Amino acid sequence: MASRGRRRLIPESRARLDDLKYEIAAEFGLPVYNPQYAHILSNADSEFAAELGEFTRGQSVAWRDLTSRQNGSVGGEITKRLIQSAERSLSEFGTL
């Protein structure tokens, strides 16, 4: 993460990363609520969420209330998807 004194190279990336974070949390069935992703909750992987810790459908919590493992799983998935996206982009240009 960029330090507080540095400017972001692509300021618009913050909003997309937040979108990705909530999207992944909803897919994993984590109880962090954002109305924009309410449609994903019906397909959420509640078994995976239960493995990560307490899961109660209908209960919404803040990110700070999740465990390190839960937050880490979301961060790891973000990283994985960003790498996949970069690899796809590079392969389209024939550099991979």
Side-chain angles (χ1 to χ4, degrees):
M1 189 168 164
S3 71
R4 294 179 185 193
R6 295 185 187 175
R7 68 176 178 86
R8 298 190 197 303
L9 294 177
I10 306 172
E12 300 83 18
S13 66
R14 175 46 111 195
R16 178 59 189 127
L17 286 174
D18 281 343
D19 289 346
L20 189 57
K21 177 173 67 171
Y22 279 103
E23 180 181 325
I24 291 169
E27 288 173 8
F28 285 175
L30 296 175
V32 179
Y33 182 71
N34 184 332
Q36 184 176 357
Y37 301 106
H39 65 282
I40 299 175
L41 286 178
S42 60
N43 301 326
D45 188 352
S46 56
E47 181 180 342
F48 181 77
E51 288 177 15
L52 292 173
E54 289 297 317
F55 174 75
T56 308
R57 190 171 290 284
Q59 178 188 21
S60 181
V61 299
W63 287 102
R64 68 177 178 270
D65 297 327
L66 296 178
T67 66
S68 296
R69 184 171 185 217
Q70 290 170 322
N71 282 313
S73 66
V74 173
E77 185 67 21
I78 288 172
T79 302
K80 182 172 124 180
R81 291 185 188 187
L82 290 175
I83 289 171
Q84 289 172 345
S85 175
E87 288 175 343
R88 271 194 310 273
S89 295
L90 290 173
S91 67
E92 288 175 9
F93 293 110
T95 56
L96 252 185

